[in-house]
Amino acid sequence: MAEYSIKEVLGKRDLKRFIVFPEKLYKGCGQYVPPLHKGQEHELMHSAPLQYCKRKMWIAENEAGEVVGRICAVINPRYNEKYGTRRVRFGWIDLINDVKVAELLFNAAERWAGEEGMEEIHGPLYYNTLGRQGMLVEGFDKLPPFSCLYNYPYYVDIMQQL
């Protein structure tokens, strides 16, 4: 059985690994349209919502140190105040077909959310409603709509298991 570890993204090297992982995961998949690296870096490090949102990112690695999953957790206090909730959003979720990887990623996000006083997790979402978000549950053979993300069919099974 494969062993995995979780690592918070803190430096430029891990940020780059976080950004390029989906290209490896979806290599050869005609429905996946990769975002530009500079655009992803800007969204993750310099996007306007970061003036009021908190976020943390993690990557999961296998025994060889290869990235096998990623997640970003976001706390949007404006949303929580408006709707009277204490929710953390998750986004930028990509992973291999292994529920253990998903558990590691979501456990990291949920642990941080709990430390920040959050009670719920939901997503996949962007910082606010203006970014690409969502998860396909059908239509995996088609290009996703412009405002949505692409994911493999096994994501649905993993989410249901969790």
Side-chain angles (χ1 to χ4, degrees):
M1 261 192 199
E3 293 292 323
Y4 305 109
S5 59
I6 193 86
K7 180 178 185 181
E8 185 177 350
V9 174
L10 296 172
K12 288 183 180 183
R13 179 177 181 271
D14 286 332
L15 177 63
K16 182 177 181 180
R17 295 172 74 211
F18 184 95
I19 290 170
V20 301
F21 170 67
E23 292 174 21
K24 295 175 185 175
L25 181 68
Y26 295 106
K27 187 175 182 174
C29 177
Q31 292 78 19
Y32 177 72
V33 180
L36 297 173
H37 290 187
K38 283 293 183 190
Q40 283 284 284
E41 182 179 339
H42 176 78
E43 283 183 348
L44 292 165
M45 303 305 293
H46 308 290
S47 187
L50 289 173
Q51 295 175 18
Y52 58 89
C53 290
K54 292 182 181 181
R55 67 108 182 86
K56 284 196 181 231
M57 301 173 285
W58 295 269
I59 52 176
E61 298 175 322
N62 64 16
E63 295 165 323
E66 300 165 326
V67 177
V68 293
R70 71 178 191 164
I71 195 169
C72 179
V74 176
I75 297 172
N76 181 331
R78 292 180 180 176
Y79 174 92
N80 284 333
E81 183 178 325
K82 180 176 181 173
Y83 293 102
T85 62
R86 290 192 282 186
R87 287 184 173 169
V88 65
R89 298 166 173 236
F90 71 90
W92 291 269
I93 180 79
D94 289 291
L95 58 138
I96 63 170
N97 189 3
D98 192 327
V99 72
K100 290 180 187 176
V101 173
E103 287 173 342
L104 274 175
L105 293 167
F106 281 101
N107 286 344
E110 290 172 352
R111 190 171 25 257
W112 174 67
E115 291 168 3
E116 295 291 326
M118 301 297 108
E119 297 175 339
E120 301 174 6
I121 186 168
H122 70 146
L125 295 167
Y126 188 69
Y127 300 114
N128 53 35
T129 58
L130 302 176
R132 293 174 59 199
Q133 51 198 3
M135 181 175 286
L136 287 180
V137 296
E138 59 184 31
F140 299 101
D141 59 330
K142 297 174 178 52
L143 286 173
F146 177 75
S147 62
C148 296
L149 303 167
Y150 182 81
N151 54 268
Y152 284 127
Y154 65 79
Y155 282 43
V156 177
D157 297 332
I158 287 175
M159 294 302 287
Q160 289 174 339
Q161 287 180 54
L162 295 178

